[in-house]
Amino acid sequence: MTALRQVLGDSWEFKIEGAHLEIRHCRWGSPYAPPRRPPSWAELLRTLEDAFADRGVPRDACIPLRWGRETELAISAVQALDPLLKHGHPVTYRSGFLPQPVVRFTGERDRNGELLDGYLTSFVNVSRVQPIQGIDEYAGVLDDWLYVLSRLGFHARHISLYGELRTWQRRQVAGVTLMFRHLDLTLGDIVLLWNVENPQRMAVDLGTGLERLAWARTHQDWNDLVFGSLAGTAPGSALDAIRTATLLLGNGITPAARGAGGIARRVLGTLGPASVGLGVSAAVRASHRYWSTIAALPTPWPVIATGIEQELTRQ
């Protein structure tokens, strides 16, 4: 707590009730005006990369989407810290700023099973993951993040942090999590982590979603933001499935009975014939262009579209 107070300074108010912590700027909640011209995905990513670099945090390469360790797919950039946090070794797979494409099935849904606004099956996990030596570095990561947010057009007076000061533990890893939000929209979290048996092996994981950052900044309609001109041309669940399948097949993960391929088959199994009656080429092409902004996809879009249509025919 002392380290956070020193880094944030007198402009931030700390409120503690039991184990619950709330941190707000003293001018929190003042009016917010979205930018007139939303940036392109490439511009948003470039601003993030440049801002992190200004703070001495270089961009590192993505971890493989086909993870094949404790999960079939990459579900978070924090998996780059597995050697340090899970085995207590002084190494990591990646360190620094990672815009990491991930696939998760944990998005919140409505009573009909449709994803709520702000959630996708596949998205870009914008993260800073790195080993640290102590709590002062953790606080410094938060300070750096406020600088990055300012470069994106956010202001500190619209940012707040909250969370429980209790330590949690999951198998070999323990940690403390603080969430951060812009106005009333939770963007992500900053987590202090350590190996239970080797506590000096510490790390920080700061994470949010590229799409959620853009949503908070622009206040656009969620479907328009994510799917662009395709929004409304098919059910959101179908566009989400094609977007995810494009990422999977684009990384060489083809539909199969089990393993990572089984996940691709599961995703495509949600597509009904009526939702793709005119084919999937346009949606695949748009999704391929988006994912390629983050990292090049080895498989060209026509091959992906053919693979999806063949799988749908098999059904």
Side-chain angles (χ1 to χ4, degrees), residues 113-181:
E114 295 292 326
L115 286 166
L116 298 177
D117 287 354
Y119 296 94
L120 296 161
T121 306
S122 53
F123 61 95
V124 179
N125 182 204
V126 172
S127 293
R128 177 180 177 180
V129 293
Q130 68 180 68
I132 59 174
Q133 300 301 312
I135 194 67
D136 289 347
E137 287 187 57
Y138 171 82
V141 168
L142 175 57
D143 187 46
D144 291 343
W145 180 234
L146 293 174
Y147 169 80
V148 172
L149 289 175
S150 72
R151 287 284 303 273
L152 292 175
F154 296 106
H155 193 282
R157 64 177 177 264
H158 299 124
I159 305 297
S160 60
L161 295 101
Y162 65 96
E164 301 298 316
L165 297 177
R166 298 185 183 94
T167 297
W168 52 259
Q169 181 176 337
R170 298 181 192 131
R171 299 175 61 185
Q172 314 100 312
V173 183
V176 176
T177 301
L178 286 181
M179 310 296 294
F180 53 86
R181 60 190 167 208

Side-chain angles (χ1 to χ4, degrees), residues 230 242 246 280-291 301-302 305:
L230 293 173
I242 294 172
T246 300
V280 299
S281 294
V284 168
R285 192 163 59 247
S287 298
H288 195 280
R289 185 164 54 248
Y290 175 77
W291 295 122
W301 75 261

Side-chain angles (χ1 to χ4, degrees), residues 227-240:
F227 302 119
S229 61
L230 293 173
T233 61
S237 58
L239 295 173
D240 175 77

Side-chain angles (χ1 to χ4, degrees), residues 108-110 114-120 185 212 215 220-224 226:
E108 295 186 16
R109 297 175 181 270
D110 63 19
E114 295 292 326
L115 286 166
L116 298 177
D117 287 354
Y119 296 94
L120 296 161
L185 176 63
R212 187 169 277 258
W215 192 38
Q220 285 181 267
D221 175 83
W222 175 250
N223 287 322
D224 289 342
V226 174

